[in-house]
């Protein structure tokens, strides 16, 4: 059965590779619609990258030391239920306002 993508994706080119741009909350919430052939990486390590290891440990659902598509999609499912505006996750902040929690 073919599934039609309802979300309109925007791409940018970096390092010779076309990549999806996560511009707003709608982009985050639609990640489960994005064909895995369009994901830049299907796995990344939880260490030796420029992202807080504690954050990566939370995302690493099966604790195998790698963040995979299923880990990201699990986080998106959690975000859908936890936040009123997923776009706020794209803004750097030290705290989340209580009004943003669903």
């Amino acid at each position: 059965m073919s599934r039609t993508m309802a979300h309109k994706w925007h791409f940018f080119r970096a390092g010779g590779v076309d990549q999806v741009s996560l511009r707003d909350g709608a982009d985050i919430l639609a990640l489960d619609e994005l064909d895995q052939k369009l994901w830049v990486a299907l796995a990344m390590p939880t260490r030796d990258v420029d992202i807080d290891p504690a954050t990566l440990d939370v995302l690493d659902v099966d604790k195998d030391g790698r963040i995979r598509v299923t880990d990201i999609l699990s986080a998106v499912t959690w975000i859908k239920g936890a936040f009123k505006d997923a776009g706020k996750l794209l803004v750097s902040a030290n705290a989340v306002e209580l009004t943003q929690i669903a």
Side-chain angles (χ1 to χ4, degrees), residues 1-5:
M1 181 167 114
S2 174
R3 189 169 129 176
T4 305
M5 286 196 310

Side-chain angles (χ1 to χ4, degrees), residues 8-9 11 17 20-21 25 27-29 31 34 36 38 40 43 51 61 66-67 69 72 79 81 86 92 96 98-99:
K8 181 175 169 110
W9 296 100
F11 295 85
V17 177
V20 170
S21 176
D27 289 339
I28 293 171
L29 298 179
L31 278 172
L34 184 63
Q36 287 188 21
L38 298 175
V40 172
I51 300 174
V61 176
R66 310 228 11 116
I67 304 299
V69 173
I72 298 299
I79 289 166
S92 180
V96 175
L98 288 176
T99 58

Side-chain angles (χ1 to χ4, degrees), residues 6-80:
H7 187 75
K8 181 175 169 110
W9 296 100
H10 293 85
F11 295 85
F12 66 97
R13 191 159 187 81
V17 177
D18 291 326
Q19 300 180 37
V20 170
S21 176
L22 297 180
R23 300 172 311 138
D24 55 30
D27 289 339
I28 293 171
L29 298 179
L31 278 172
D32 63 343
E33 296 178 20
L34 184 63
D35 189 319
Q36 287 188 21
K37 290 182 291 223
L38 298 175
W39 287 63
V40 172
L42 297 178
M44 68 171 273
T46 58
R47 296 296 182 267
D48 301 320
V49 294
D50 195 24
I51 300 174
D52 176 42
T55 300
L56 296 176
D57 287 343
V58 171
L59 289 172
D60 184 11
V61 176
D62 61 4
K63 306 302 179 209
D64 67 350
R66 310 228 11 116
I67 304 299
R68 301 179 193 282
V69 173
T70 55
D71 296 319
I72 298 299
L73 295 179
S74 291
V76 169
T77 298
W78 179 80
I79 289 166
K80 286 178 181 179

Side-chain angles (χ1 to χ4, degrees), residues 88-95:
K88 297 288 184 183
L89 296 171
L90 298 174
V91 178
S92 180
N94 290 327

